[in-house]
Amino acid sequence: MDDIARHLGMSKKTIYQFFKDKNELVMALTRKKLQEDEDQVSEIISKSANVIEEMINMMKCSEDIFSRINPIVIHDLQKYHPDAWKEFQNFKSEVLVHTLEELLSKGVKQGYIRPEIDVKIIARMRVNQVELGFNTTVFPIAEFNTWKVQQQFHEHFNYGICTLKGYKLLNQYKNIVEE
């Protein structure tokens, strides 16, 4: 709280007029950030022409988000702020999984996503894969760039779920010339 007060240029007493403790402050910040993320995802979906463009745009959005997240913050939320971590987990399971299920289903109807995939399984796998990329036991910070790990996961996911039609459109958006 001392660091936060110093950064904001105010006293801890002033902060405590608005938040009863550090957990309440962390919870408020977590809720605000999750709402911003949900709004950003909704905007991407509304402005994209097809599911492949949505995936590309979400990748760009993810790059911005992941480049600012220190894996230690994830660890600290889990360990020291269980209510905020629970809020994040609820967001992940309710908003992100549901949104991805809808995206995958739409992609199947558009012919870009393989129809044999189980949308419910693949959506949960992908959402949890993001968290795995922040696991410093699996991907130590000294050895792996968090964004590169996420990028590799995302590329693998995108190409793994696409039909040939989707694969070609994905390459087209990425300016990859096929032979």
Side-chain angles (χ1 to χ4, degrees), residues 1-12 15 22 25-26 29:
M1 290 302 274
D2 289 325
D3 292 340
I4 293 168
R6 189 172 30 261
H7 180 76
L8 294 173
M10 63 176 59
S11 70
K12 283 195 312 186
I15 294 172
K22 187 176 177 181
L25 174 63
V26 169
L29 290 171

Side-chain angles (χ1 to χ4, degrees), residues 4 19 22-36:
I4 293 168
F19 301 98
K22 187 176 177 181
N23 281 326
E24 190 174 296
L25 174 63
V26 169
M27 193 67 161
L29 290 171
T30 300
R31 284 186 176 133
K32 182 180 183 325
K33 185 62 184 134
L34 293 177
Q35 186 60 56
E36 288 171 2

